[in-house]
Amino acid sequence: MERTGTRGLVLRRAKNPEELRRQYQSSPNVRVTMSQRCDWSVKRSYLAAKTYNPIRHIIENLDLQPNPEKQMVALSIGDPTIFGNLRAPPNVIDAVEESLNSFRYNGYGPASGFDCAKQAIAEYTTTQHTDVYSEDVVLCSGCSGAIDLAISVLAEAGRNILVPCPGFSIYRTLAEGLGITVREYKLKPEKDWEIDLEDLEKQIDADTAALIITNPSNPCGSVFSERHLRDIVQVAARNYVPIIADEIYEHLVFKGETFIPIADVSNEVPILKCSGLTKRFLIPGWRIGWIVIHDRSGIFGKEIRSGLQGLATRILGGNTIVQGAIPRILRETPQTFYDETVQVYQKNASLAYSILSEIPGLKAIMPRGAMYMMVRVDMWDFPGFKNGLEFVTQLVAEESVFPLPGECFSYPGYFRIVLSVPSEMLDVACHRIAEFCERHYKKKNEVIFSVSPECNDL
Ligand SMILES: Cc1ncc(COP(=O)(O)O)c(C=O)c1O
């Protein structure tokens, strides 16, 4: 359709955006509008349609009906504050009170964060091998915000990122809506969840924008050795792939273990380290995370730094009141607080391991850090259940104990328990799991007999 507008402009109607673009390109001095809007048609965006959180999706679709006679024990939630046994230390609370009362942090902060906070994070992150400066730090809303920025600055539609399997689902949730393909590389449960480096390298191609590693790991509770970190860096260097290091569980390692930031073993490979206050300081709701840019060889250069600055302007960083408290939080928190938190996780890991590893049909894998333990379920020993989801649903129905099924981490045949639960509760929960398994466990020959009693070639 074509008509002449009030100022002599030719107005044309286009049926869809593609036609509109074509018409505009062919004759820019003709004003083109979309065809008549005659009804409501409000559609969700591609980003909204493709944003998918497997954990939420799986849990919402499970029909969980706890046994009314037994108190529910949720071993599923990675929030260390929910049971009330673990609390942020007094100096952290004081620091926020001071920040609030100062009236200095009520306004908008700089997009990448207040300098006092960035300076304190730089000091906190500096090691004997790696110097960090405040200009290397970008404040974000939680570590999820940091991962979002890191993925968005390095990757885009049509490219791919490599993520661990089993792994935390947020990487997929953040990337797929942007049209980024997520490729999973395998971890080896029999080798303390080290990365299968061959599998990792096989998956790298010209479109690989980044390799994500999680260390210490959710859901595995693994902590990589220096040797393994060096091997990972070599793969990245050989293939020119930058690393996104999700180190939100940094320092949460059991006695005798050492946390080594991957930046400490990389001279060449550029790294975006993602971390925050969430886990170590027991304040997930405060939503403070950060990116630290490690770029010793200047490979990221201005390009990635200015990209991060630009992306940071989309939401203007993390909560300013907490930013104002960061210097005191990071400088004044006593070592005893850190040690006590880790002791709780380690004691619970030993407790759960001692009970679960005695249960026929299960194989608990002792963690070295973070706050989780993975447990393998040999499904053939529990022929009453089609899969791990059914196993967990029935465990809730009979025993009111809810571990997170491995399906939430792309890893069927396992479940994950959290170690931040009060010990007495964890003890009860593990014994209930034992009773449940005893009731449903069928030895191999019993299973075969039940299928074919006359079969005798066992
Ligand atoms: C491995 C990992 N990365 C990132 C996050 C997100 O952290 P935040 O709550 O600070 O966004 C979590 C939270 O559980 C996690 O387990």
Side-chain angles (χ1 to χ4, degrees):
M1 186 204 277
E2 184 168 308
R3 66 190 170 87
T4 306
T6 42
R7 293 191 196 155
L9 266 174
V10 176
L11 297 176
R12 274 194 205 140
R13 289 207 185 281
K15 289 198 203 74
N16 54 46
E18 180 53 24
E19 190 188 329
L20 184 114
R21 192 181 55 79
R22 251 188 290 113
Q23 291 204 27
Y24 180 77
Q25 277 172 351
S26 59
S27 36
N29 50 357
V30 172
R31 180 166 302 167
V32 186
T33 63
M34 287 264 278
S35 50
Q36 199 83 45
R37 299 173 67 113
C38 52
D39 205 351
W40 283 103
S41 171
V42 182
K43 298 229 164 74
R44 63 185 172 168
S45 64
Y46 180 87
L47 176 64
K50 295 287 175 191
T51 298
Y52 165 77
N53 183 327
I55 298 188
R56 300 253 164 250
H57 181 79
I58 290 169
I59 292 178
E60 276 158 24
N61 283 298
L62 286 179
D63 182 19
L64 298 177
Q65 310 278 353
N67 180 342
E69 283 167 18
K70 296 188 176 181
Q71 203 199 346
M72 180 73 176
V73 186
L75 299 178
S76 54
I77 307 167
D79 178 344
T81 69
I82 50 169
F83 295 98
N85 54 328
L86 294 167
R87 288 187 165 185
N91 70 293
V92 167
I93 307 299
D94 284 354
V96 172
E97 271 177 13
E98 187 188 325
S99 170
L100 184 62
N101 290 329
S102 75
F103 288 88
R104 285 165 52 208
Y105 298 102
N106 290 338
Y108 295 117
S112 63
F114 281 103
D115 206 53
C116 63
K118 295 201 292 184
Q119 186 58 48
I121 293 165
E123 268 171 38
Y124 176 74
T125 312
T126 291
T127 67
Q128 53 174 341
H129 302 287
T130 316
D131 288 323
V132 177
Y133 304 95
S134 60
E135 58 268 28
D136 301 325
V137 179
V138 180
L139 265 294
C140 302
S141 175
C143 184
S144 316
I147 297 165
D148 187 23
L149 242 62
I151 292 176
S152 309
V153 81
L154 294 176
E156 62 201 335
R159 304 199 68 199
N160 64 75
I161 55 169
L162 307 180
V163 305
C165 178
F168 187 49
S169 58
I170 191 96
Y171 315 127
R172 182 176 292 281
T173 305
L174 293 170
E176 284 185 339
L178 300 173
I180 300 162
T181 304
V182 174
R183 293 185 181 168
E184 292 177 336
Y185 61 81
K186 291 186 204 132
L187 303 182
K188 296 177 170 175
E190 71 286 1
K191 286 201 77 188
D192 275 330
W193 301 106
E194 283 192 350
I195 296 175
D196 181 336
L197 295 170
E198 221 175 279
D199 182 54
L200 171 69
E201 194 154 13
K202 238 180 15 211
Q203 308 215 42
I204 299 174
D205 66 16
D207 291 321
T208 302
L211 152 63
I212 300 188
I213 68 153
T214 318
N215 181 48
S217 158
N218 174 13
C220 308
S222 51
V223 180
F224 290 154
S225 66
E226 181 176 339
R227 174 198 48 78
H228 190 53
L229 289 167
R230 288 192 188 281
D231 290 345
I232 298 167
V233 165
Q234 267 184 21
V235 173
R238 236 188 342 263
N239 295 279
Y240 309 101
V241 178
I243 292 176
I244 297 175
D246 181 349
E247 295 181 347
I248 186 66
Y249 297 97
E250 61 181 327
H251 308 296
L252 287 177
V253 296
F254 296 171
K255 203 155 178 233
E257 303 291 336
T258 313
F259 164 72
I260 300 170
I262 194 163
D264 274 11
V265 300
S266 170
N267 286 326
E268 183 192 352
V269 176
I271 294 166
L272 295 179
K273 171 195 174 99
C274 300
S275 187
L277 297 179
T278 302
K279 305 289 178 176
R280 195 179 192 202
F281 296 88
L282 305 173
I283 44 178
W286 290 12
R287 311 310 300 137
I288 284 286
W290 54 76
I291 289 182
V292 174
I293 306 165
H294 292 286
D295 187 26
R296 289 209 185 108
S297 308
I299 292 161
F300 281 154
K302 281 205 192 107
E303 170 94 4
I304 297 301
R305 283 177 191 270
S306 67
L308 283 170
Q309 289 293 332
L311 288 173
T313 62
R314 287 163 62 99
I315 59 161
L316 301 183
N319 176 323
T320 52
I321 297 292
V322 188
Q323 283 193 49
I326 282 179
R328 283 193 56 199
I329 292 176
L330 295 183
R331 290 176 187 141
E332 293 176 15
T333 299
Q335 188 60 39
T336 48
F337 164 76
Y338 299 135
D339 294 345
E340 281 163 17
T341 314
V342 170
Q343 270 164 25
V344 170
Y345 299 154
Q346 183 159 10
K347 191 171 148 228
N348 278 346
S350 303
L351 171 71
Y353 185 80
S354 67
I355 303 170
L356 299 177
S357 59
E358 293 296 313
I359 303 176
L362 298 191
K363 170 140 183 44
I365 301 180
M366 187 64 184
R368 294 172 184 271
M371 41 181 270
Y372 310 100
M373 177 187 281
M374 284 286 264
V375 181
R376 192 180 79 205
V377 185
D378 291 333
M379 289 310 302
W380 54 86
D381 286 335
F382 301 96
F385 307 116
K386 272 208 305 281
N387 54 40
L389 296 177
E390 265 193 25
F391 179 94
V392 165
T393 307
Q394 196 56 26
L395 178 58
V396 173
E398 291 179 27
E399 298 293 344
S400 299
V401 173
F402 181 40
L404 211 54
E407 281 77 357
C408 295
F409 308 101
S410 269
Y411 216 61
Y414 279 75
F415 61 72
R416 185 200 77 177
I417 61 169
V418 296
L419 302 171
S420 49
V421 185
S423 297
E424 320 75 63
M425 240 186 206
L426 186 64
D427 189 48
V428 168
C430 290
H431 281 107
R432 288 197 207 158
I433 294 175
E435 282 165 25
F436 174 82
C437 288
E438 206 176 305
R439 277 198 300 280
H440 293 279
Y441 178 78
K442 297 269 183 304
K443 279 197 223 87
K444 208 170 173 191
N445 27 5
E446 285 176 43
V447 179
I448 293 168
F449 272 129
S450 74
V451 174
S452 167
E454 51 292 333
C455 174
N456 59 6
D457 58 343
L458 300 173

